[in-house]
Amino acid sequence: MRLRRREINVFSMSALDLFASGMGAFILLTVMALPFFPNTGDSEERIEEVKRELASAQEERDAARNQASSLERVLEELQQGESIREALEAALTDAQAQLSDADQRLRELEEALAEATKPKPEPVVNDQRERELEREVAEAKKQRDEAESRARSLEQALAKARMPDLDVVICLDVTASMTAQIEGLKREIAVLARILDSLTPSTGIGVVAFGDRRWMEPMHVQPIVPTSRIRELQVFVNRLRPNMDPNAGRNRDGPEAVATAVERAVDLNWRPESERRYVIAVTDNAAYPSREAVAIQVARDFASAEGHHVSAVRANFTQVQSDRQAADRFLRQLAQAGRGQFIDAAGGESMIGSMLLAIIGT
């Protein structure tokens, strides 16, 4: 009987060991195979949410790449400008030294001539020496005048190479197709202000947001404020959004209220100390055909003053070919009339890059 119980106990232990071993093998296989089982726990809503997050991350990455590319391009322009300034400063220093030497040489020759022409007690006068001195004095005067003229020219060139106080008014199209540019300005307006502050004694920035003439309020205006009030400017920009008007849905044609925006911009509260003034129109469409000539004339009149420029940034390629051609033609003409820059940003140029190129290039 005792033997029987011992056999039962042994059998029970063997079965338990076998079960435990089998369970362990099952768990091991399950853990190993887990990555290969399909994930059926996430709902379709969660999958869509992940897709949206992924798309958003990709957009942010692309925007960062565009901004980096734009800033690299602007940095090259700035570095080139810095090299030009350094070369001009060196040339000016050299020209001033030459002018000083010419002045000294002229004074010495004039003294020598005066001494040579002074009445002598002896009746004999060396006429040949006098004539030589007169020729040398005339040549020294000529060299002095040339050195002075060169110094003045270099001073003027150096003054142009240095950025004086400036004001910028950004005319931004806020219709439906301009979402990327609106969001770009929101992200980059503060960075733009910091960069301009580093290049100039002072900077003022204003914004004219425009839409379609069918809108109840085609214009939204932020007057020019110094960059010390960047928060005020940021608040205004943050309120901008595509098609920000109840009548936006009635806008079926391509052209926008560009002419009205430029007219408003040139009449803004430009600061008296701003020696350079820039109007930069950012859009993917032309002005209305009946208003194109007005916009071009306004740009030409504004740019007739020294240091005043109107530039144009083509933001996108519109889907309608005729609208695309009209935008290209009009914006190039606008920039030419305004003695400004035409910036082709249809390939994804960032807002900050477009703004800086429009300013530095003039």
Side-chain angles (χ1 to χ4, degrees), residues 71-90:
L71 290 176
E72 285 175 359
R73 184 178 169 191
V74 170
L75 181 59
E76 290 177 0
E77 296 275 352
L78 289 174
Q79 288 173 339
Q80 182 180 3
E82 188 64 29
S83 300
I84 292 173
R85 282 192 290 273
E86 291 175 357
L88 287 172
E89 287 171 353

Side-chain angles (χ1 to χ4, degrees), residues 1-305:
M1 187 68 175
R2 290 178 181 173
L3 181 60
R4 181 65 174 172
R5 287 178 180 171
R6 188 178 296 115
E7 290 175 352
I8 293 172
N9 289 337
V10 170
F11 175 78
S12 299
M13 290 297 295
S14 299
L16 185 60
D17 291 341
L18 182 61
F19 177 75
S21 300
M23 180 61 72
F26 174 76
I27 293 173
L28 180 61
L29 289 172
T30 302
V31 171
M32 293 175 62
L34 186 60
F36 300 98
F37 281 97
N39 181 8
T40 59
D42 285 344
S43 65
E44 292 184 4
E45 289 78 5
R46 175 55 182 161
I47 293 172
E48 291 301 320
E49 181 182 352
V50 171
K51 287 181 178 178
R52 287 193 297 272
E53 291 175 356
L54 176 60
S56 177
Q58 289 173 336
E59 288 179 1
E60 291 178 1
R61 178 203 61 192
D62 292 343
R65 282 179 177 173
N66 287 337
Q67 182 173 350
S69 175
S70 299
L71 290 176
E72 285 175 359
R73 184 178 169 191
V74 170
L75 181 59
E76 290 177 0
E77 296 275 352
L78 289 174
Q79 288 173 339
Q80 182 180 3
E82 188 64 29
S83 300
I84 292 173
R85 282 192 290 273
E86 291 175 357
L88 287 172
E89 287 171 353
L92 177 58
T93 300
D94 184 59
Q96 288 172 335
Q98 291 179 8
L99 177 59
S100 178
D101 292 343
D103 274 336
Q104 179 64 25
R105 174 66 175 161
L106 180 59
R107 283 195 298 271
E108 291 173 355
L109 288 171
E110 286 175 339
E111 290 173 0
L113 180 61
E115 182 66 25
T117 56
K118 186 184 297 183
K120 303 292 190 303
E122 299 81 4
V124 179
V125 178
N126 192 342
D127 292 338
Q128 183 177 356
R129 178 56 181 159
E130 286 183 23
R131 287 193 294 272
E132 288 177 355
L133 285 172
E134 287 174 352
R135 285 195 298 270
E136 290 179 7
V137 168
E139 181 64 25
K141 285 182 177 179
K142 180 181 178 182
Q143 292 177 357
R144 192 271 316 271
D145 293 342
E146 289 176 350
E148 188 174 10
S149 176
R150 175 171 169 74
R152 279 199 305 269
S153 297
L154 287 169
E155 286 174 353
Q156 292 172 358
L158 186 58
K160 290 181 179 179
R162 293 179 180 136
M163 297 289 284
D165 299 86
L166 64 83
D167 284 347
V168 182
V169 176
I170 303 169
C171 296
L172 179 63
D173 184 342
V174 291
T175 55
S177 59
M178 296 291 290
T179 301
Q181 288 70 34
I182 296 169
E183 294 304 315
L185 188 62
K186 291 178 182 180
R187 289 192 307 268
E188 299 168 6
I189 188 70
V191 180
L192 174 64
R194 287 199 298 272
I195 292 175
L196 293 178
D197 277 343
S198 69
L199 298 176
T200 67
S202 72
T203 302
I205 302 177
V207 179
V208 177
F210 66 92
D212 186 80
R213 61 183 174 186
R214 297 176 184 272
W215 288 15
M216 293 174 60
E217 191 175 356
M219 298 290 134
H220 298 266
V221 179
Q222 166 61 56
I224 298 169
V225 295
T227 51
S228 59
R229 293 162 58 186
I230 187 63
R231 290 186 179 179
E232 180 180 339
L233 189 64
Q234 187 74 64
V235 168
F236 174 85
V237 172
N238 286 344
R239 290 176 182 156
L240 302 179
R241 64 184 188 279
N243 275 356
M244 52 187 296
D245 191 272
N247 284 348
R250 298 175 58 195
N251 180 16
R252 303 297 183 187
D253 55 357
E256 310 297 358
V258 187
T260 306
V262 173
E263 285 179 307
R264 188 68 179 273
V266 300
D267 287 334
L268 275 188
N269 57 319
W270 302 93
R271 298 178 305 147
E273 64 268 30
S274 61
E275 296 180 32
R276 291 194 185 179
R277 300 177 178 181
Y278 299 87
V279 174
I280 306 175
V282 186
T283 181
D284 57 0
N285 269 302
Y288 292 100
S290 61
R291 299 275 291 159
E292 283 189 8
V294 172
I296 290 171
Q297 187 59 51
V298 168
R300 184 176 290 112
D301 292 343
F302 180 74
S304 63

